C-alpha cells in the first residue's frame, strides 16, 4: 500500500497526492469511511462514507461532500438543511483506509438537529441521550 | 432500527442497553466501525472495528478490545505494545451503526509510535507527514 511509505517519514516529508489518491484502498463499494471533527472544539460530529469523486469535490470546493450509501449518490452535506461543513483539513490514517475531515460545521451536523450524531451514551446498562437539538429538525428539512 | 427511537428523546431519557445491543446493525462481517478519541485533548487517535464480543469485553473490563479484520480475532489494544486504552465513554451515533470510544490512551495509539494514526495531511497536492513518533516502534514491538 503506497501510503505505508510515510510510516518512516520525518515531519515535512511528503508523497504526491495524485499518486496516493490512485492507490487508496477503497472497499468493494468504492468507499472509505470518513470521520468528521469540529476544528475548534475537537468534537467528533459524525461518520460517513466517501468515494473518489466526493473526495476530489471536497478538496476542490472546500465544502464537504460525502457519498450516500442509501441514495447511492453524492451527498453535498447541507444541500437540504443548509448546515454545510467547511473543510479545514483532510487527513489519512497510517493504512490510508480512513479519512479524518476537520471542518467548521454550520449549525448541527446531525439530522436530529443536534450538533453531533454521537448523543447516545452507553452507561450503567442504559443508552442515555445527553444532548439536545440546537434547532428543531422540522426547521432544517421543512414540513 | 431500535436506536432510532432516541432521536426524539430529551436529555436523560434512555433505552435498555441489552435491547439496543441485540439490535445493533452489524455489517455482514458482524462488525461496526469504532472511532477512538483521547478524552482530554479531543484528538482523534484511530479507527478500528468491533464485533459484539469486543464491545461486551470493553464495557466489562474498561480496557478497549477491537476485532482485528486481518487476524480475524479479538484484538486487545496494547496486548503486544503495552499501549492500552482505558475507556472513559462509549457512544453510539443516531443510526447506531458507528461507535465513538472516548479513552485515555497510554502512549501512542499508532503502530508507528505516533500518538494518532492520522498524521498524513492532504495539502497542496501533497500528503505531508506532520507528526513524529513518541517512541521508536522497535521499542514497542521488540526486535
Amino acid at each position: 500500500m503506497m501510503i505505508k511509505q510515510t510510516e518512516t517519514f520525518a515531519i515535512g516529508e511528503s508523497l504526491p497526492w495524485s499518486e496516493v489518491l490512485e492507490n487508496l484502498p477503497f472497499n468493494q463499494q468504492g468507499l472509505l469511511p470518513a470521520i468528521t471533527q469540529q476544528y475548534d472544539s475537537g468534537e467528533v460530529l459524525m461518520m460517513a462514507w466517501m468515494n473518489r469523486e466526493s473526495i476530489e469535490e471536497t478538496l476542490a470546493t472546500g465544502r464537504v461532500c460525502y457519498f450516500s450509501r442509501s441514495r447511492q449518490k453524492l451527498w453535498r452535506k447541507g444541500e437540504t438543511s443548509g448546515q454545510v461543513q467547511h473543510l479545514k483539513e483532510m487527513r489519512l490514517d497510517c493504512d490510508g483506509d480512513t479519512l479524518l475531515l476537520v471542518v467548521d460545521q454550520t449549525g448541527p451536523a446531525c439530522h436530529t438537529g443536534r450538533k453531533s450524531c454521537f448523543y447516545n451514551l452507553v452507561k450503567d446498562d442504559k443508552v442515555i441521550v445527553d444532548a439536545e437539538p440546537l434547532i428543531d429538525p422540522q426547521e432544517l428539512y421543512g414540513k
Side-chain angles (χ1 to χ4, degrees), chain A residues 42-102:
Chain A
E43 188 169 20
V44 176
L45 298 172
M46 57 184 285
M47 205 284 280
W49 297 81
M50 299 181 94
N51 66 357
R52 180 173 171 151
E53 192 180 352
S54 68
I55 292 171
E56 292 186 290
E57 177 172 316
T58 296
L59 287 170
T61 65
R63 270 185 47 182
V64 177
C65 173
Y66 301 101
F67 184 82
S68 168
R69 293 180 303 171
S70 56
R71 286 176 280 148
Q72 285 291 306
K73 61 174 196 170
L74 292 180
W75 165 28
R76 294 175 180 94
K77 178 71 180 163
E79 63 194 343
T80 310
S81 67
Q83 312 301 302
V84 301
Q85 295 175 336
H86 296 280
L87 186 72
K88 296 277 187 178
E89 285 180 359
M90 182 182 288
R91 292 176 172 274
L92 283 166
D93 72 354
C94 49
D95 300 310
D97 64 0
T98 305
L99 294 151
L100 176 62
L101 308 176
V102 181

Side-chain angles (χ1 to χ4, degrees), chain A residues 87-137:
Chain A
L87 186 72
K88 296 277 187 178
E89 285 180 359
M90 182 182 288
R91 292 176 172 274
L92 283 166
D93 72 354
C94 49
D95 300 310
D97 64 0
T98 305
L99 294 151
L100 176 62
L101 308 176
V102 181
V103 306
D104 191 8
Q105 168 74 56
T106 304
C110 186
H111 75 288
T112 64
R114 294 179 180 88
K115 184 74 183 184
S116 160
C117 294
F118 293 96
Y119 55 81
N120 293 300
L121 176 66
V122 181
K123 190 177 163 74
D124 301 335
D125 301 326
K126 290 180 184 158
V127 178
I128 308 170
V129 169
D130 73 350
E132 61 191 355
L134 306 176
I135 302 178
D136 185 327

